[in-house]
Amino acid sequence: AWVSSLSMGMVFFCSPVVSIFTDLFGCRKVAVTGAAVGFVGLLSSSFVSTIEPLYFTYGILFACGCSFAYQPSLVILGHYFKKRLGLVNGVVTAGSSLFTVSLPFLLRFSINSVGLYNTLRVLCILMFILFLAGFTYKPLISNAKDKEGGKKRKFRFPPEKKIFNFSVFKVLSYRIWAVGIPAALFGYFVPYVHLAIYLLNALFKQISHVKDRFGDSMPEEVLLLCLGITSGVGRLIFGRIADYIPGAKKVYLQVASFFFIGLMSMMIPLCRVFGALIVVCLFMGLFDGCFICIMAPVAFELVGAQNVSQAIGFLLGFMSVPMTVGPPVAGLIRDRLGTYDVAFYLAGVPPLIGGAILCFIPWVHERMKLKERAKPVDGETNEKMLENESSLASDGTEKSVKETESGF
């Protein structure tokens, strides 16, 4: 569990650094380099015979490469799409759901046929495809100076303020978002790791919740199949819905996703038949897709297109802590109590708390917009008042001059 959680957490922990490199070097170079590093990490993991080196090769090296390849895919979409950004994010992120559906079956067949380590080498092919795909991130020329300089333009190291763009934290609605999302994730990924931990049994010799409750005969890969299918459907549906929701009110979709995922986590221990667990996974996948596809559109609404790269990077970095800590803590509770019931009940609480925090964002964001609109209006009224006062003063002086002239 620690290796998988470390890998998942490192993908997000590196995100602030990735956002800086993305601003400096562009999406294409960062994505290609990340895919190459991930390829090396995954390939080296296939030659490891004990679990300790996997903490570095798979948990750190492979995960860091995936982080550098992942985040530019979110940023680049905003450069090309504006009106249908939600739908585009849904289509792009639905690709991962396709592999979530197919990989469990392919991995089981491959492990049984060629073994675990050869399977990791086969997966390196996917990383190489990702390496080639990174070259399609054609950078957009932002201003006339870049056009004039072209390829001859030399790289100049920007000032520190542009490298570390902490100005995003001046936006109150973003600060609330950066607190609410990590708070929800302390329990968000617990069901995903411990329901799907059978994929890691060959490495960690752990016992999954499904085997504890339903025995060895149940087709566990069906759970990931349900999660993957409905997650892909959710990303397409809610991505399209987000395009019709104005401004920061898009965050209400994330509130709904946290509410339902927290509720479904608490219902897992109550499932006494495998069919009920499948229904729970269907709903979890649907609203997981909602949460994933709304990330970038909400970031664009809160901080704008110029600051979105580091805004997403900082948020993903904050997310790394609960994502890394949550699943192992749930595993520790299971080892102490001998059951996953309490762990799943507790896992449902943080998403509910995080969702409640996010409810304040639209209200705060609208108030901030009103204040910004009020500033120029106040300036105009002050200018008009000064103009009126000056005109009155000039009128008064003219009258006094006329009176004096008439008196003489």
Side-chain angles (χ1 to χ4, degrees), residues 35 38-47 62 117-131:
F39 177 87
V40 172
L42 191 59
L43 184 63
S44 59
S45 298
S46 67
F47 294 99
F62 171 68
Y117 299 112
N118 286 325
T119 299
L120 292 176
R121 291 162 194 157
V122 172
L123 292 177
C124 289
I125 299 174
L126 297 179
M127 293 303 300
F128 183 72
I129 295 174
L130 188 60
F131 172 79

Side-chain angles (χ1 to χ4, degrees), residues 7 34 99 134 194 215 218 220 229-230 245 250 254 260 276 297 328 341 402:
S7 177
F99 284 91
H194 290 281
M218 291 299 175
E220 299 166 302
I229 291 176
T230 53
I245 299 178
K250 291 180 176 66
Q254 288 188 326
F260 280 99
D341 289 359
K402 289 180 180 179

Side-chain angles (χ1 to χ4, degrees), residues 249-317:
K249 291 183 179 179
K250 291 180 176 66
V251 80
Y252 284 133
L253 293 177
Q254 288 188 326
V255 173
S257 66
F258 285 149
F259 175 79
F260 280 99
I261 286 176
L263 185 63
M264 293 299 108
S265 297
M266 294 179 176
M267 291 184 65
I268 289 175
L270 304 178
C271 297
R272 300 300 174 183
V273 294
F274 195 71
L277 190 60
I278 290 177
V279 173
V280 168
C281 289
L282 289 173
F283 278 99
M284 288 185 67
L286 183 67
F287 287 98
D288 171 72
C290 174
F291 167 68
I292 295 298
C293 73
I294 299 300
M295 289 284 290
V298 172
F300 274 94
E301 292 291 343
L302 296 183
V303 300
Q306 294 181 348
N307 301 319
V308 72
S309 177
Q310 294 204 31
I312 294 177
F314 286 130
L315 178 66
L316 296 181

Side-chain angles (χ1 to χ4, degrees), residues 318-332:
F318 295 147
M319 289 166 56
S320 65
V321 176
M323 290 176 64
T324 305
V325 175
V329 169
L332 180 63

